[in-house]
């Protein structure tokens, strides 16, 4: 289902910095699977609960996650991702003050490292489960306006066919989906 919301541009330097920590990003990925405590997240990620607790508080501070009060008791606090926009985008560098652009650079560096690790898993995942490991490469000539329209259509398709964990139908699995484009006339040819 399309939520119809405008894209959320992540142009707050504090929020960018909060997202640039690799463990926080792994915690957010873990919470995509469902609610958890600092202990269960620590066990899943190989970190101690004190460390995960600190990073959970930072993610909460910037609105990426929230405590589930009805499940929390005593020292055990349960966390979930917030109803943040499903279409969260990086800002163009020109949208940030010059002194804040290194924060965006760091987040892009961390995201790039994650994407490369994910891509390295493709051959083995395809051998194991080709039904769920789809891949495609494309090449075309397109205008800037055409590329922008293509990207918006792609986002609408993700929203149309994708589900949040709590709304997913029986048989749904969590799946990483990526789209990236690069100008072919500015990229070294292999």
């Amino acid at each position: 289902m399309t939520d119809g919301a405008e894209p959320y541009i992540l142009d707050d330097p504090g929020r960018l910095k909060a997202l640039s920590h690799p463990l926080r990003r792994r915690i957010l990925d873990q919470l995509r699977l469902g609610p958890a405590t600092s202990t269960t997240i620590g066990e899943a990620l190989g970190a101690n609960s004190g460390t995960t607790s600190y990073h959970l508080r930072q993610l909460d501070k910037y609105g990426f996650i929230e405590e589930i009060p009805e499940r929390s008791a005593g020292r055990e606090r349960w966390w979930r991702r917030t109803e943040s926009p499903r279409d969260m985008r990086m800002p163009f560098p020109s949208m940030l003050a010059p002194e804040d652009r290194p924060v965006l650079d760091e987040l892009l560096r961390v995201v790039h490292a994650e994407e490369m690790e994910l891509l390295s898993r493709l051959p083995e995942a395809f051998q194991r489960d080709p039904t769920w490991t789809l891949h495609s490469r494309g090449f075309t000539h397109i205008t800037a306006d055409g590329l922008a329209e293509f990207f918006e259509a792609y986002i609408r398709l993700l929203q149309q066919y994708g589900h949040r964990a709590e709304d997913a139908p029986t048989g749904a699995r969590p799946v990483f989906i990526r789209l990236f484009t690069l100008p072919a006339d500015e990229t070294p040819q292999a």
Side-chain angles (χ1 to χ4, degrees), residues 3 8 10 15 19 24 27-36 41 55-69 78-88 163-167:
D3 60 15
Y8 177 82
L10 193 62
R15 293 190 91 202
L19 283 181
R24 289 183 199 145
I27 289 170
L28 285 171
D29 283 343
Q30 191 66 34
L31 288 173
R32 279 190 179 104
L33 302 176
I41 290 170
H55 290 294
L56 284 162
R57 287 191 306 275
Q58 292 300 305
L59 290 167
D60 179 42
K61 175 181 175 181
Y62 288 100
F64 295 110
I65 65 168
E66 63 188 1
E67 184 179 355
I68 308 172
W78 282 84
W79 298 93
R80 65 179 163 221
R81 290 182 62 106
T82 58
E83 290 295 320
S84 59
R86 293 180 76 184
D87 184 6
M88 193 177 317
H163 304 277
R164 295 182 187 272
E166 59 273 11
D167 301 325

Side-chain angles (χ1 to χ4, degrees), residues 32-168:
R32 279 190 179 104
L33 302 176
T37 66
S38 63
T39 301
T40 58
I41 290 170
E43 289 170 356
L45 301 180
N48 72 52
S49 62
T51 299
T52 57
S53 181
Y54 168 79
H55 290 294
L56 284 162
R57 287 191 306 275
Q58 292 300 305
L59 290 167
D60 179 42
K61 175 181 175 181
Y62 288 100
F64 295 110
I65 65 168
E66 63 188 1
E67 184 179 355
I68 308 172
E70 60 274 13
R71 284 189 74 176
S72 299
R75 293 180 52 117
E76 182 178 74
R77 298 172 76 183
W78 282 84
W79 298 93
R80 65 179 163 221
R81 290 182 62 106
T82 58
E83 290 295 320
S84 59
R86 293 180 76 184
D87 184 6
M88 193 177 317
R89 300 182 189 185
M90 299 284 185
F92 292 127
S94 62
M95 299 169 89
L96 298 173
E99 63 271 15
D100 294 328
R101 291 178 189 160
V103 178
L104 176 61
D105 292 343
E106 177 60 15
L107 179 55
L108 291 171
R109 186 195 64 74
V110 169
V111 168
H112 176 262
E114 287 174 357
E115 302 302 356
M116 294 309 295
E117 190 279 326
L118 193 60
L119 189 59
S120 74
R121 294 169 24 196
L122 182 74
E124 183 180 320
F126 185 72
Q127 289 296 325
R128 204 174 42 252
D129 198 349
T131 302
W132 288 91
T133 311
L134 305 174
H135 50 94
S136 173
R137 289 182 59 181
F139 183 88
T140 192
H141 289 80
I142 194 166
T143 64
D145 287 344
L147 182 59
E149 288 177 29
F150 174 83
F151 182 77
E152 295 301 331
Y154 165 79
I155 296 297
R156 284 192 303 275
L157 284 170
L158 285 176
Q159 293 172 343
Q160 178 182 351
Y161 290 101
H163 304 277
R164 295 182 187 272
E166 59 273 11
D167 301 325

